[in-house]
Amino acid sequence: PMNYFRLLDMLQDIGYFDASQRRCLRSADVYQAIHCPRGFVKQSEEHVFCHDCKDGYTCLCSPCAKLRNPELILQAQPLNTTWPGIVDTAQAENLTVVAESCSRMQSCGQVVEGQKLRWTLLDQIGRASRLAINAPLISSVQIRLATNAQWQDMLAENVTAHGMPTQRYVLDAVVTGKGTHVIQVNVNGEQAEMSPVVIEHIQPVQKHIECPPGREVGIDGTCRPCQAGSVSLGGRAMCRPCDPGTKQPLSGQMHCEACPVGRAQARAASLECELCSPGKSSRGKT
């Protein structure tokens, strides 16, 4: 059990007991007058006062909370994503793995191209507590998602974290560009303590779809006919343009047709062969 002197010291530390006047504060002044010791911040009223206090009494349960280290936490959170029909959705979800928090010059995880991602910077102190302890306020947060990309503003949101009111700064983006990307964060125009971090963008796994001859797999995962001037052998092959000296006036075809004698075509992906100019002849093709 706590003795009287230790209790008196604790009340004095939090500003509840005025040693010079040797009196406790009036109940109406309790919350405003609480002063937490160095390394601690005052919690919200719902956490400071006990709910099971006897009638006529004001009881303090958890007036102060220890400052969390680090002050700022950077996180990446995958969001629900509408994938093109050709992408293996289950594989995309399994391949996207992100760390609980991102640390300076460490890998923050790997994500599949096309994945929607929410970048969040959580302030573990909060504006109100920063004012109370005279800590620098956060006026702006910017993030750059690639070395040569533009800086983007992260929007502030009021949230409750660990029972304390605070702010987080958010930006939603779609993952683009395969390879290793360096993510940078600036707070009040200066590089944040955890910045930069590294994240890997990987190519999505496609479904195994085979199409009949004259068709190719579209981005929506369905087989679509080749356009006139191009052909495909089917299976997983893509449509390719007809070579010079050949033609294909129809869509959805498997082979190109050679130009007949007396006609030629110098361009690829042609629909028709052209008559030879006067004074010239051809055995077909070019």
Side-chain angles (χ1 to χ4, degrees):
M2 182 178 293
N3 63 44
Y4 173 76
F5 293 105
R6 290 179 59 193
L7 175 61
L8 197 62
D9 289 340
M10 182 191 75
L11 294 176
Q12 190 170 342
D13 284 341
I14 65 175
Y16 190 73
F17 176 70
D18 188 341
S20 62
Q21 300 184 34
R22 301 188 63 80
R23 71 178 181 85
C24 292
L25 299 168
R26 296 179 180 275
S27 60
D29 306 325
V30 171
Y31 184 75
Q32 292 298 327
I34 292 176
H35 299 283
C36 296
R38 183 179 295 275
F40 289 79
V41 292
K42 182 166 59 176
Q43 299 210 79
S44 60
E45 291 191 49
E46 61 181 6
H47 290 90
V48 166
F49 298 109
C50 305
H51 299 292
D52 56 353
C53 195
K54 293 182 180 180
D55 292 340
Y57 290 84
T58 299
C59 304
L60 302 180
C61 281
S62 303
C64 301
K66 187 174 179 62
L67 283 175
R68 294 183 173 270
N69 187 29
E71 295 181 10
L72 303 172
I73 293 180
L74 180 65
Q75 298 171 311
Q77 175 191 357
L79 300 177
N80 289 334
T81 301
T82 302
W83 295 98
I86 196 172
V87 173
D88 189 322
T89 304
Q91 285 279 26
E93 293 175 352
N94 290 335
L95 289 172
T96 295
V97 181
V98 293
E100 185 175 347
S101 62
C102 303
S103 302
R104 179 178 173 84
M105 293 308 297
Q106 300 295 316
S107 174
C108 198
Q110 68 172 23
V111 290
V112 175
E113 284 186 278
Q115 172 73 56
K116 289 183 180 179
L117 207 60
R118 171 166 293 171
W119 288 97
T120 302
L121 187 71
L122 176 66
D123 180 7
Q124 295 208 103
I125 298 180
R127 182 177 179 83
S129 296
R130 288 180 179 275
L131 286 169
I133 63 177
N134 199 30
L137 299 180
I138 296 177
S139 59
S140 68
V141 178
Q142 291 184 310
I143 189 169
R144 186 156 66 175
L145 301 179
T147 305
N148 298 321
Q150 296 290 325
W151 286 97
Q152 300 183 69
D153 293 326
M154 300 183 78
L155 301 179
E157 296 179 350
N158 292 320
V159 296
T160 299
H162 312 294
M164 296 177 57
T166 185
Q167 290 75 40
R168 69 175 184 179
Y169 302 85
V170 178
L171 178 75
D172 293 346
V174 176
V175 173
T176 58
K178 186 175 64 175
T180 302
H181 290 253
V182 177
I183 311 298
Q184 297 170 276
V185 178
N186 277 359
V187 177
N188 295 343
E190 298 182 358
Q191 183 168 272
E193 185 178 350
M194 87 298 295
S195 174
V197 302
V198 178
I199 193 165
E200 192 76 21
H201 295 179
I202 60 176
Q203 190 172 357
V205 177
Q206 297 184 355
K207 296 176 181 176
H208 186 84
I209 301 174
E210 295 198 2
C211 296
R215 292 176 177 265
E216 66 176 358
V217 181
I219 191 67
D220 60 355
T222 62
C223 293
R224 61 187 183 188
C226 296
Q227 295 182 354
S230 63
V231 294
S232 171
L233 295 176
R236 304 196 72 181
M238 303 299 291
C239 296
R240 64 169 185 83
C242 291
D243 296 328
T246 64
K247 64 171 184 173
Q248 184 46 262
L250 303 176
S251 62
Q253 300 302 303
M254 182 177 180
H255 298 293
C256 300
E257 302 173 2
C259 291
V261 174
R263 291 177 178 266
Q265 182 54 262
R267 294 174 298 186
S270 296
L271 309 188
E272 296 292 342
C273 296
E274 300 174 355
L275 284 170
C276 293
S277 302
K280 295 184 178 179
S281 63
S282 170
R283 295 183 179 179
K285 297 190 178 181
T286 59

